[in-house]
């Protein structure tokens, strides 16, 4: 299947482009109208796909758009693009991460959007349409590097990963605090 989209239209072809069919968007009312504006899509099969709307809401379908469910776990409203390699593994580019607006970040999921974790790519911003997920661990990002004057991009950098963007194996972090018990008398003095 092939998918294409415009601001308020999502279409698909299953016969190499000989004919196209409009797909239902998230929040479509009974009259077939939707006010959803599409920012990015990523379909991994004829029926499974993700849609990022202009409000930063992430949607998921498993039935070719007949129904959509919102993916709330991304926790970001500044998503700019999507790239999924299969229904479980994918990336979402974000305009910033917390207060950091000068570096390019992606959020990565390995469980279909149930959980996400941020990954720093480098200085700059991921170019529009500049993210490709080739496999569960292979992805490429085209980053507009910040320029010397006015923050305009002066060069494009290509980043890639064969480990899903992770630096190594995960480790366990354990945090403990000492417990201090106060008597009534010590509490009053404190």
């Amino acid at each position: 299947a092939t998918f294409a989209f415009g601001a308020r239209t999502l279409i698909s072809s299953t016969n190499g482009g000989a004919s196209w069919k409009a797909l239902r968007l998230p929040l479509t009312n009974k009259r077939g109208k939707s006010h959803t504006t599409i920012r990015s899509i990523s379909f991994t099969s004829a029926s499974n796909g993700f849609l990022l709307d202009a409000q930063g809401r992430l949607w998921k379908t498993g039935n070719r758009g007949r129904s959509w469910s919102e993916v709330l776990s991304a926790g970001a409203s500044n998503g700019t693009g999507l790239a999924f390699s299969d229904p479980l593994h994918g990336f979402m580019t974000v305009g910033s991460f917390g207060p950091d607006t000068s570096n390019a970040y992606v959020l990565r999921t390995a469980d279909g959007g149930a959980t996400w974790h941020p990954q720093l790519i480098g200085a700059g911003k991921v170019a529009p349409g500049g993210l490709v997920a080739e496999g569960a661990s292979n992805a490429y990002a085209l980053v507009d590097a910040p320029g010397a004057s006015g923050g305009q991009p002066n060069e494009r950098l290509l980043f890639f990963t064969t480990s899903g963007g992770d630096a190594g194996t995960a480790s366990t972090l354990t945090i403990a605090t000492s417990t201090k018990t106060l008597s009534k008398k010590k509490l009053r003095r404190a």
Side-chain angles (χ1 to χ4, degrees):
T2 303
F3 296 87
F5 71 97
R8 292 185 183 246
T9 305
L10 175 61
I11 58 175
S12 175
S13 174
T14 56
N15 57 12
S19 63
W20 293 86
K21 179 183 178 190
L23 302 183
R24 188 172 184 236
L25 296 178
L27 304 176
T28 299
N29 64 22
K30 292 179 182 178
R31 295 182 305 211
K33 300 282 185 189
S34 175
H35 295 289
T36 300
T37 302
I38 302 170
R39 188 176 287 167
S40 182
I41 64 163
S42 183
F43 274 76
T44 60
S45 70
S47 56
N48 292 306
F50 293 83
L51 181 146
L52 180 64
D53 71 21
Q55 293 179 317
R57 296 169 75 178
L58 183 61
W59 302 89
K60 181 179 187 176
T61 185
N63 57 16
R64 198 174 174 82
R66 285 190 296 279
S67 64
W68 294 88
S69 58
E70 189 172 5
V71 179
L72 299 171
S73 59
S77 62
N78 63 349
T80 58
L82 297 174
F84 277 77
S85 61
D86 60 59
L88 295 177
H89 300 91
F91 298 85
M92 179 170 62
T93 57
V94 292
S96 64
F97 187 72
D100 187 356
T101 59
S102 61
N103 288 305
Y105 285 89
V106 293
L107 301 180
R108 179 175 185 252
T109 184
D111 53 16
T115 61
W116 299 80
H117 66 272
Q119 296 177 334
L120 170 65
I121 296 176
K125 299 284 180 207
V126 176
L131 183 66
V132 176
E134 180 184 55
S137 298
N138 300 342
Y140 305 86
L142 188 60
V143 175
D144 288 332
S149 63
Q152 296 297 317
N154 65 352
E155 60 183 25
R156 288 205 162 162
L157 307 170
L158 180 64
F159 291 86
F160 69 92
T161 180
T162 57
S163 66
D166 294 326
T169 58
S171 61
T172 303
L173 174 66
T174 305
I175 300 174
T177 62
S178 59
T179 305
K180 189 170 187 176
T181 308
L182 298 174
S183 65
K184 285 184 181 181
K185 187 176 181 180
K186 286 182 179 178
L187 183 59
R188 272 188 246 129
R189 275 190 280 163

